[in-house]
Amino acid sequence: EAGVTQFPSHSVIEKGQTVTLRCDPISGHDNLYWYRRVMGKEIKFLLHFVKESKQDESGMPNNRFLAERTGGTYSTLKVQPAELEDSGVYFCASSRANDDEQFFGPGTRLTVL
Amino acid sequence: KQEVTQIPAALSVPEGENLVLNCSFTDSAIYNLQWFRQDPGKGLTSLLLIQSSQREQTSGRLNASLDKSSGRSTLYIAASQPGDSATYLCAVRPGTYKYIFGTGTRLKVLA
């Protein structure tokens, strides 16, 4: 069974540009989560999808971040326009049920210059 | 508001030593607690998951304990090896879905 995959593994962009991160969950996992770790801080929850619906987006930092999960399969997280403080590692996780163990992807390292 | 603290932030030990990593959390109303390992440039690997009704879990050289009433968990690593070098993260789930992570302990085991 393939694990959670994320693309790209690294992204370097200039301030003001747009970046889209993608996450492919484990097949059959209805629950998909985004987390991020900014420099020197702990990993923090961003949002939670159940299938294509957003269950909780309380961790989204501001309206420059837009997450989608059309069709309830893969998810994208778009940052537009990117700011310096958005630099960090963005993790995606998935689980079959919302109280099941979450399996994490390798993360996307985003650097905003 | 749930907060998770890990001590120490970094640890360097000689190979073969037994060691303890500490995790504390402020709200004892948790669903479960999980220990993860993160290698540089890699994702999070789950090590041990302790449900709120459990006191400990063991896997090989690893043992994790949970004391909900005092808001503490420890990860015990026996006979440490250089391959154990990584960042160890503690995370609690206050409800049924999102994790709240600590800042981690960076472990280096010297050969």
Side-chain angles (χ1 to χ4, degrees):
Chain A
E1 180 182 80
V4 177
T5 57
Q6 292 187 244
F7 181 83
S9 57
H10 293 86
S11 180
V12 181
I13 61 172
E14 305 237 334
K15 175 182 172 180
Q17 290 186 321
T18 297
V19 64
T20 300
L21 314 181
R22 173 171 169 145
C23 168
D24 285 78
I26 293 172
S27 177
H29 282 196
D30 286 341
N31 291 266
L32 187 149
Y33 313 81
W34 284 98
Y35 295 82
R36 76 170 180 177
R37 184 172 194 166
V38 296
M39 183 70 73
K41 298 286 184 65
E42 68 274 20
I43 297 171
K44 286 192 175 178
F45 167 82
L46 295 178
L47 87 160
H48 169 212
F49 282 100
V50 177
K51 297 185 180 180
E52 66 276 7
S53 299
K54 293 176 186 174
Q55 287 294 107
D56 180 356
E57 49 186 330
S58 61
M60 296 287 264
N62 52 60
N63 59 11
R64 295 185 294 103
F65 289 75
L66 175 64
E68 295 181 319
R69 193 182 181 195
T70 307
T73 54
Y74 71 90
S75 174
T76 58
L77 179 64
K78 180 191 288 188
V79 185
Q80 178 181 31
E83 298 289 344
L84 300 179
E85 64 265 24
D86 300 332
S87 296
V89 182
Y90 290 75
F91 292 100
C92 176
S94 72
S95 67
R96 191 173 299 277
N98 66 6
D99 56 351
D100 277 348
E101 179 180 354
Q102 295 174 21
F103 296 87
F104 282 77
T108 293
R109 181 172 295 278
L110 174 65
T111 302
V112 183
L113 302 175
Chain B
K1 179 186 169 190
Q2 178 72 272
E3 293 184 0
V4 181
T5 304
Q6 290 187 246
I7 295 173
L11 183 62
S12 186
V13 300
E15 181 177 7
E17 196 161 295
N18 300 325
L19 55 101
V20 175
L21 307 183
N22 295 292
C23 172
S24 61
F25 46 96
T26 53
D27 188 342
S28 62
I30 62 170
Y31 183 70
N32 61 36
L33 181 145
Q34 195 159 354
W35 283 92
F36 293 88
R37 167 184 174 141
Q38 185 180 19
D39 294 280
K42 301 287 180 64
L44 305 180
T45 301
S46 176
L47 297 174
L48 290 165
L49 171 69
I50 311 177
Q51 300 292 351
S52 62
S53 58
Q54 298 175 320
R55 297 298 298 269
E56 66 176 342
Q57 283 285 341
T58 297
S59 176
R61 295 182 293 109
L62 305 179
N63 175 277
S65 68
L66 174 64
D67 183 344
K68 269 182 34 176
S69 61
S70 66
R72 292 181 186 175
S73 176
T74 61
L75 178 66
Y76 175 82
I77 302 176
S80 59
Q81 302 170 358
D84 295 330
S85 299
T87 296
Y88 290 80
L89 297 165
C90 168
V92 300
R93 292 177 78 176
T96 58
Y97 53 90
K98 64 183 175 185
Y99 286 108
I100 296 176
F101 284 85
T103 49
T105 294
R106 289 190 315 280
L107 173 66
K108 186 166 186 178
V109 181
L110 305 171

